[in-house]
Amino acid sequence: MTCAEGLSLQRVSAPFCIICLSTLRRHSSLSLCTVFQEDQFLSDSFHTHTRTHAHTPQRGHLQHRPIVMALPDTAPLLVGLLLLFHAFGAWAIVEVNMEDKVEVMAGETAQITCMFTTDEGLGGTTIQWFYVLPNKERQRIYNKEPMHEAAEQNTLFTHRISLNVNGTAAVLVIRDVGVRDNLEFICVIKTLTPEEAEGRTQLQVFKSPTFPTIEAVETGISVNEKDPSKIGSCRVKNGYPKPNITWYRNNMPLRNTPREVVVTSSTTIESSGLFSVQSELTMKVKKEDKDAVFYCEVIYFVPGATKMTESQHINITVYYLPTEVTIWVESPKGKIKEGDTLELRCDNNGNYPSSITTIKHQNSEYSVENKTMVRTNVKRLDGGVYECTFEETDNFEEISGSTKVSVNYLESAVITPKDSIAVMEGEELKASCNALSSLQTSTTWFKNEKLVSKGNTLSVKSATLETAGMYKCVVTVPEMEGMKTSSTLQVNVKGSPQILGPDVQEVETYETTVNLTCSATGFPAPTIMWTTSDGKNLNALQTETEDGAQSVVTFKITSNVKVFCNASNDFGSKVVEFNIKTIVHTTPTTTTTTSTNTITDDTVQTPTKSPNIKKESKGFVIAIIIIAIFLLAILGSVLYFLYKKGRICGRSGKQDFSKRKSSKDNIVVEMKSDNTEEAILLGVNGEKQQPNDQ
């Protein structure tokens, strides 16, 4: 429908329309509007009613604020009035445009912009700022008039706000924004007509919370609990808006599930206006939860985004009854032998704390410490079945497991015949050695630490005197190191004695007392007798040896004599002859001659000795004297050589020493013996000289 110039016609609801004046004379405070039916547009006269309106603009949109007056009466009167006011002029138009919201972090500076337009210009414009109280009332915080502007006193923003006007933009600046500034702000623009329009912006303040802290329950949780048990608590502090907490188990979020999972949260508003949230998780645990990882996730808001922070991960102790008990030999590894220390270990696939573990063996019960039982120096009777029993003391439920233990043994070696055996010379020697064992054994025979036979039986077809001796039987278990036993057997060969050494022995000596030794083998042990060629019996000391006897006789001699060693037993006798020759000791004559210096020493001519003559102590002294004389001669030769070379006594080696030779330069030692007629002369240089050289 079309209206006349200066009028706007809008359909309200058919068949009614509203006709309004769009432009009125300036400074007028009236507006004219009527609602009518289309067929009554120019009807009878109507009654007039006026009212001034201030419409609230829609946020975020350019707002047109006409001032209207409702005229419910007839159209003819309305047309007349419209023509009258049109003669006085048009109404002013004011529009305001603002953002729906402004987001800022706590502690920062917020800027709220109010964009406005008016056809009157800025000279007569008044700008006012308000915020909305919790009871929906307005509280003015800033007023700017053409000649004056200031922040309202005694408000939350008195000392923290300022207004910047740039053209048609009025910017409210709020410094050091806090969470209590999370309010709705209103910008009102007024003109001189007076016309006014307003816009609204929600200031949203954000504060990031602290890092979440999580605490797990310190005690264990049983899978047998009927009701959900507390797992842990998670807490986050000082956030705005209120943070949200979500629980996770193994990266899967947990939601409230009746009788299974319960998440309870509580919120605290701090004195600063910030939010602190605490969440507690309770749930029924299963055995699988012993390895589960729990944590909480905190979701909070920042300008233009949503952020998430995870807490540390925690584990819980889950107690569950075992379904299997296992017992095994922890030590020694491998086979067990008598004398070992046996260590049995018992464990189960549960971890219930209120339990008792015992080990039973042959109706005997043993305590278990740290799931381990130790028995030292075990015997074969310690083998058998060991049963480990686990008993849960709360419900008195039992579960058992068992293992069989074998203790291997090796008894002492037994030789048959026992201890010793005697066989006739030439007969067969036969002995056996056995040791009872739980495992396969190996037997060896040794004599004088030398291996002589392998196997249980020791056999010699034809025994000789050399066969006699001590034999050792050693029994071992090849598959187990350290299992060994042994026993000994003395073998005696019956037969006539044998004397060690030749039948006739020559002995020469300077001494008047001799010691003679006679060793004889044979079984029974022979008896040794000493006699001389003139029929005398000599007393001697006899001792038994491993394979016979030994006798030592000591006697004085004055002349050559024969001594007989006679060894005899039940099977015969043996005689050995000792021919003893005495050597008469003579004192040699020693003469020392010197012209100036004389060195006297004893020189003894040692007679030729038979290989069978025993060296006595006097002969040893004579040999020492001869060696000393020989060394003295060598020393003299060295001194003479040095003298000739001028190395001593200040003489030069170029001088002819032989031209000045005198009897004082030579030292002659004469050695005489009763067995020689010629004297041997030695110079200081050790060379042999003829008698006519003296």
Side-chain angles (χ1 to χ4, degrees):
M1 183 175 183
T2 306
C3 297
E5 182 181 357
L7 299 177
S8 63
L9 182 62
Q10 300 176 2
R11 182 178 298 275
V12 178
S13 61
F16 295 96
C17 292
I18 179 170
I19 183 169
C20 301
L21 182 67
S22 59
T23 58
L24 297 177
R25 181 176 298 276
R26 186 172 299 175
H27 307 304
S28 175
S29 60
L30 296 177
S31 62
L32 183 61
C33 188
T34 185
V35 178
F36 61 93
Q37 294 183 351
E38 294 183 48
D39 56 356
Q40 295 177 346
F41 180 67
L42 295 175
S43 61
D44 297 334
S45 60
F46 54 87
H47 300 285
T48 304
H49 176 72
T50 61
R51 184 174 59 185
T52 301
H53 293 271
H55 293 278
T56 302
Q58 297 296 322
R59 288 178 293 178
H61 301 283
L62 185 63
Q63 299 157 353
H64 179 225
R65 302 295 180 185
I67 308 301
V68 298
M69 180 182 70
L71 298 178
D73 296 324
T74 59
L77 180 60
L78 173 63
V79 173
L81 290 174
L82 290 175
L83 294 175
L84 177 65
F85 281 98
H86 182 70
F88 287 94
W91 291 89
I93 299 176
V94 180
E95 295 179 349
V96 175
N97 185 18
M98 297 180 68
E99 295 179 311
D100 290 339
K101 62 181 178 181
V102 172
E103 297 179 339
V104 64
M105 292 296 294
E108 296 181 354
T109 299
Q111 296 185 8
I112 304 176
T113 302
C114 178
M115 302 295 296
F116 63 92
T117 58
T118 176
D119 56 0
E120 290 187 354
L122 298 178
T125 302
T126 299
I127 303 174
Q128 294 180 334
W129 284 90
F130 300 83
Y131 74 89
V132 180
L133 296 171
N135 60 3
K136 303 303 180 180
E137 294 183 359
R138 299 184 180 192
Q139 171 68 52
R140 190 168 69 179
I141 59 175
Y142 202 93
N143 183 46
K144 182 181 185 309
E145 297 179 352
M147 302 300 294
H148 173 74
E149 68 173 292
E152 297 292 334
Q153 297 299 315
N154 301 321
T155 70
L156 295 175
F157 305 95
T158 300
H159 303 290
R160 294 190 293 123
I161 61 173
S162 60
L163 183 64
N164 297 330
V165 179
N166 184 10
T168 60
V171 180
L172 180 65
V173 179
I174 306 176
R175 298 177 297 276
D176 192 20
V177 174
V179 297
R180 298 187 186 278
D181 301 334
N182 199 86
L183 301 168
E184 186 179 30
F185 290 83
I186 303 174
C187 172
V188 177
I189 306 298
K190 294 183 178 182
T191 62
L192 296 177
T193 1
E195 301 294 332
E196 71 177 52
E198 69 179 40
R200 295 174 179 243
T201 294
Q202 177 68 43
L203 178 62
Q204 293 186 348
V205 183
F206 298 88
K207 174 66 169 64
S208 298
T210 60
F211 189 84
T213 58
I214 188 171
E215 294 181 359
V217 292
E218 297 181 356
T219 58
I221 306 172
S222 173
V223 296
N224 295 332
E225 296 291 339
K226 295 181 180 180
D227 298 322
S229 302
K230 181 179 178 180
I231 303 300
S233 61
C234 181
R235 182 177 177 85
V236 62
K237 296 181 179 180
N238 300 328
Y240 196 91
K242 185 183 75 172
N244 295 322
I245 296 178
T246 304
W247 281 91
Y248 283 80
R249 175 180 61 184
N250 296 334
N251 300 323
M252 295 297 294
L254 294 172
R255 307 298 182 190
N256 281 318
T257 304
R259 301 182 59 84
E260 293 293 333
V261 179
V262 179
V263 178
T264 56
S265 298
S266 61
T267 303
T268 302
I269 301 177
E270 308 292 345
S271 60
S272 60
L274 300 175
F275 292 97
S276 296
V277 181
Q278 180 166 338
S279 179
E280 185 175 283
L281 172 65
T282 59
M283 61 178 291
K284 291 193 68 175
V285 297
K286 301 177 181 179
K287 180 179 179 181
E288 295 76 17
D289 292 327
K290 65 183 178 66
D291 301 317
V293 175
F294 294 87
Y295 64 93
C296 61
E297 177 187 83
V298 176
I299 297 176
Y300 60 96
F301 307 94
V302 295
T306 301
K307 291 190 175 182
M308 179 272 293
T309 301
E310 286 186 5
S311 70
Q312 294 180 341
H313 294 189
I314 61 172
N315 299 100
I316 59 174
T317 301
V318 178
Y319 294 136
Y320 48 91
L321 293 174
T323 58
E324 182 182 5
V325 173
T326 306
I327 181 173
W328 69 93
V329 177
E330 182 71 17
S331 177
K333 301 299 183 183
K335 295 183 180 297
I336 306 169
K337 65 179 183 298
E338 287 187 323
D340 285 344
T341 296
L342 175 64
E343 181 178 342
L344 289 173
R345 187 168 179 83
C346 178
D347 205 354
N348 58 77
N349 59 353
N351 66 343
Y352 223 82
S354 57
S355 61
I356 298 176
T357 303
T358 56
I359 294 180
K360 297 179 181 179
H361 173 249
Q362 295 180 355
N363 299 324
S364 297
E365 190 171 288
Y366 303 92
S367 61
V368 177
E369 184 176 354
N370 295 328
K371 301 181 181 181
T372 303
M373 185 200 77
V374 178
R375 300 191 66 179
T376 59
N377 193 25
V378 295
K379 304 299 181 183
R380 70 191 71 179
L381 295 179
D382 295 325
V385 176
Y386 285 81
E387 182 182 32
C388 178
T389 301
F390 171 87
E391 180 182 2
E392 195 276 304
T393 55
D394 290 343
N395 302 322
F396 299 100
E397 296 184 6
E398 287 189 0
I399 185 171
S400 301
S402 62
T403 186
K404 185 176 182 180
V405 175
S406 297
V407 179
N408 295 289
Y409 58 89
L410 175 64
E411 295 185 353
S412 300
V414 177
I415 298 178
T416 305
K418 186 178 180 181
D419 298 334
S420 65
I421 184 175
V423 296
M424 288 297 299
E425 187 175 3
E427 293 183 354
E428 182 181 6
L429 167 63
K430 194 170 185 178
S432 62
C433 177
N434 292 283
L436 185 62
S437 175
S438 59
L439 300 172
Q440 188 68 34
T441 60
S442 175
T443 305
T444 52
W445 293 84
F446 294 87
K447 181 184 180 185
N448 299 329
E449 305 300 328
K450 292 183 179 181
L451 179 64
V452 295
S453 180
K454 293 183 178 181
N456 298 80
T457 302
L458 174 65
S459 178
V460 179
K461 296 296 183 182
S462 179
T464 63
L465 294 179
E466 288 75 15
T467 306
M470 182 66 71
Y471 289 79
K472 184 178 182 180
C473 164
V474 178
V475 181
T476 59
V477 177
E479 58 183 297
M480 289 198 68
E481 183 179 358
M483 289 189 70
K484 181 172 68 173
T485 182
S486 63
S487 185
T488 58
L489 174 66
Q490 175 64 45
V491 176
N492 298 308
V493 179
K494 299 178 181 179
S496 59
Q498 297 293 327
I499 298 178
L500 303 179
D503 294 341
V504 179
Q505 300 183 24
E506 301 290 338
V507 178
E508 295 182 353
T509 180
Y510 291 102
E511 303 297 334
T512 58
T513 301
V514 295
N515 295 325
L516 299 179
T517 301
C518 184
S519 299
T521 61
F523 186 83
T527 301
I528 300 176
M529 302 293 294
W530 292 89
T531 59
T532 62
S533 55
D534 54 2
K536 292 182 179 180
N537 293 326
L538 301 178
N539 294 326
L541 178 63
Q542 179 175 329
T543 58
E544 290 190 3
T545 61
E546 183 179 351
D547 53 357
Q550 185 182 68
S551 178
V552 178
V553 65
T554 301
F555 64 96
K556 294 182 178 181
I557 58 173
T558 56
S559 61
N560 297 342
V561 64
K562 292 183 179 182
V563 178
F564 303 96
C565 171
N566 187 350
S568 62
N569 62 9
D570 296 341
F571 300 97
S573 62
K574 179 70 174 180
V575 178
V576 172
E577 177 182 334
F578 293 89
N579 291 330
I580 302 174
K581 296 181 180 179
T582 60
I583 300 175
V584 179
H585 182 273
T586 58
T587 302
T589 302
T590 302
T591 303
T592 303
T593 304
T594 179
S595 57
T596 57
N597 297 321
T598 304
I599 300 177
T600 305
D601 200 352
D602 292 337
T603 302
V604 180
Q605 180 178 352
T606 304
T608 303
K609 296 183 179 180
S610 171
N612 293 329
I613 298 178
K614 296 183 179 180
K615 296 181 181 180
E616 303 296 336
S617 60
K618 291 184 178 180
F620 178 78
V621 173
I622 294 173
I624 293 298
I625 294 174
I626 294 175
I627 292 173
I629 294 174
F630 181 71
L631 293 176
L632 182 62
I634 293 175
L635 178 62
S637 299
V638 172
L639 293 176
Y640 175 72
F641 175 76
L642 295 176
Y643 181 82
K644 288 189 64 177
K645 294 295 185 178
R647 304 291 180 144
I648 59 175
C649 298
R651 295 185 58 85
S652 174
K654 296 181 179 181
Q655 295 179 350
D656 187 3
F657 179 74
S658 61
K659 294 181 180 180
R660 302 177 59 186
K661 183 177 181 181
S662 67
S663 60
K664 295 181 180 180
D665 297 332
N666 292 330
I667 299 175
V668 180
V669 180
E670 179 181 0
M671 295 185 296
K672 292 184 179 181
S673 175
D674 294 340
N675 298 329
T676 61
E677 295 179 356
E678 182 181 9
I680 300 175
L681 301 180
L682 297 175
V684 293
N685 57 359
E687 297 178 353
K688 183 177 180 180
Q689 298 181 358
Q690 297 298 326
N692 55 4
D693 292 336
Q694 298 184 27

